Amino acid sequence: MIDHAHDLASVRDATDRLLTAATKLDNVSTAEPSRLPGWTRGHVLAHLARNADALVNVFEGRPMYVDGEARDADIERDAPRPLDVQLADLRDSAARFQETGAAPADWSRTVELRNGVTDSAARVPFRRWIEVELHHVDLGVGYELEDLPAEFTERETDFLAERFAGHPDVPPTRLTDGTHAWSTGRAADAPAITVTGSPADLLGWLAGRRDGSGLTVEGGALPGLPPL
């Protein structure tokens, strides 16, 4: 069962870690490239603030974004702002997300996200946790996939393995970190490929943050994964 209250607390803690790390930046380093192609660190911070507000919209039954163009335009608009403005916006938007998430609600209801994707309201806090943790890594400020909480890494690996399950372009694949195992890709009686690696390397590959060079593959080549 998804514990939305637990995940809201985890989002708060992850946001605090990110804000503490980001205070060590300055206006120059905020304008430097992040680890995401085409995005500065300012883009990452702006996206996180606007995503928090977008998920408030989801909680309250409004469209997550007006449309994709408006989403991108808001990020481009906000990316060049001075660091102090970025951090204040991120704090305020995170507080709005926490306040809305703490309000009494039917957590079993279905909500609509981007591009027609639907999910239970109870999973929205975990989706926000994903945004905060992975984009903290994307900032390139010393927080690495190995630093992610173990619970988050296991749950996000499970989430991504489920996301690629049944995908026609991904062969039947078994993933394992030596302790846990997941199945993904096309349905089959048995996996065609086994991919083994550390929790961080498996998550990095599934999330598009690493190229998979740290993984061991048996039964064929490392599968190519579709964009998230």
Side-chain angles (χ1 to χ4, degrees):
M1 293 291 291
I2 296 292
D3 184 344
H4 68 273
H6 168 81
D7 288 347
L8 282 168
S10 298
V11 171
R12 184 183 61 246
D13 293 344
T15 303
D16 288 346
R17 286 193 296 274
L18 187 151
L19 285 167
T20 297
T23 58
K24 300 174 184 177
L25 298 171
D26 55 28
N27 290 338
V28 173
S29 55
T30 301
E32 291 174 345
S34 72
R35 291 177 175 175
L36 292 177
W39 272 17
T40 65
R41 292 188 177 104
H43 283 88
V44 175
L45 295 172
H47 165 62
L48 282 169
R50 300 289 68 78
N51 174 262
D53 284 339
L55 291 177
V56 169
N57 289 337
V58 169
F59 277 142
E60 296 182 344
R62 296 185 296 273
M64 186 170 179
Y65 297 101
V66 174
D67 54 39
E69 291 183 358
R71 169 190 176 274
D72 295 345
D74 286 348
I75 294 170
E76 290 295 333
R77 178 198 66 206
D78 294 344
R81 298 176 301 176
L83 178 63
D84 61 338
V85 178
Q86 296 272 20
L87 297 184
D89 186 19
L90 184 52
R91 288 190 189 95
D92 291 346
S93 59
R96 289 191 292 271
F97 175 80
Q98 289 288 333
E99 181 180 4
T100 307
D106 175 11
W107 288 97
S108 67
R109 73 190 188 280
T110 298
V111 296
E112 185 170 346
L113 301 158
R114 289 184 67 197
N115 303 321
V117 173
T118 59
D119 205 345
S120 68
R123 283 243 282 197
V124 171
F126 180 65
R127 286 178 175 271
R128 175 61 181 176
W129 192 10
I130 294 170
E131 294 286 328
V132 176
E133 292 287 14
L134 292 184
H135 286 317
H136 190 168
V137 174
D138 294 334
L139 284 174
V141 292
Y143 190 71
E144 303 296 341
L145 293 169
E146 286 79 5
D147 299 316
L148 295 168
E151 178 200 350
F152 172 82
T153 297
E154 182 179 345
R155 288 178 60 188
E156 174 64 346
T157 300
D158 184 70
F159 180 82
L160 291 172
E162 180 182 342
R163 182 166 182 166
F164 295 127
H167 198 288
D169 295 333
V170 180
T173 303
R174 179 178 184 267
L175 312 171
T176 180
D177 61 9
T179 301
H180 306 94
W182 301 264
S183 294
T184 195
R186 295 190 300 271
D189 293 336
I193 294 172
T194 298
V195 178
T196 304
S198 70
D201 279 331
L202 280 174
L203 174 57
W205 172 61
L206 289 168
R209 266 66 179 184
R210 291 187 180 171
D211 63 8
S213 59
L215 301 171
T216 300
V217 186
E218 300 176 10
L222 184 68
L225 297 176
L228 290 172

